Amino acid sequence: MECPFCMIAAGTIPADLVHADDRVVAFRDINPQAPVHVLVIPREHHGNVGALATANPELLGDLLAAAAQIAADEDLDAGYRLVINTGGDGGQTVDHVHVHLLGGRHLTWPPG
Ligand code: AMP
Ligand code: ZN
């Protein structure tokens, strides 16, 4: 198994987990871009958000619901941002779909 996020979901490489259930796993980003920076992934491997939306739209809903619950757990009452980088121009570097949950500071717009 070569996908690093599949390996995190399986527990074969370590991560700082903040959530795990039968469908969704979340862990702190190794290179945080905000005081709270969590990655929310499905246990099932899907390469990007389009592939996930086609194959299992309910699971995409599960990811967003988990991200919102983690934001509440992390006390991000002032707001937060969810990002799904997709493809090269989108800045995707890991080909296992993941939602970035960013918060704990004021986030500027537009993004870089
Ligand atoms: P993206 O560029 O949207 O594909 O995001 C990939 C994210 O995964 C980056 O923010 C990385 O810092 C993060 N990342 C890569 N490997 C790990 C890891 N082993 N544990 C935690 N975060 C990771
Ligand atoms: Zn994977």
Side-chain angles (χ1 to χ4, degrees):
M1 191 160 43
E2 290 183 8
C3 171
F5 287 0
C6 281
M7 294 172 81
I8 287 173
T12 53
I13 63 174
D16 185 0
L17 296 185
V18 299
H19 174 89
D21 62 37
D22 57 335
R23 291 168 306 230
V24 175
V25 175
F27 50 95
R28 296 192 191 280
D29 196 293
I30 205 167
N31 183 24
Q33 302 301 310
V36 174
H37 188 172
V38 170
L39 301 175
V40 186
I41 68 168
R43 287 190 182 276
E44 277 181 23
H45 181 95
H46 298 276
N48 60 44
V49 66
L52 173 59
T54 299
N56 194 343
E58 186 180 348
L59 184 54
L60 179 55
D62 293 337
L63 279 190
L64 297 179
Q69 182 59 55
I70 295 161
D73 295 344
E74 296 281 330
D75 299 320
L76 299 179
D77 304 325
Y80 59 88
R81 186 171 294 168
L82 303 181
V83 175
I84 306 176
N85 294 327
T86 306
D89 278 1
Q92 184 175 8
T93 60
V94 177
D95 290 332
H96 180 132
V97 63
H98 48 282
V99 178
H100 294 259
L101 166 62
L102 297 150
R105 66 171 172 84
H106 182 76
L107 299 163
T108 58
W109 192 264

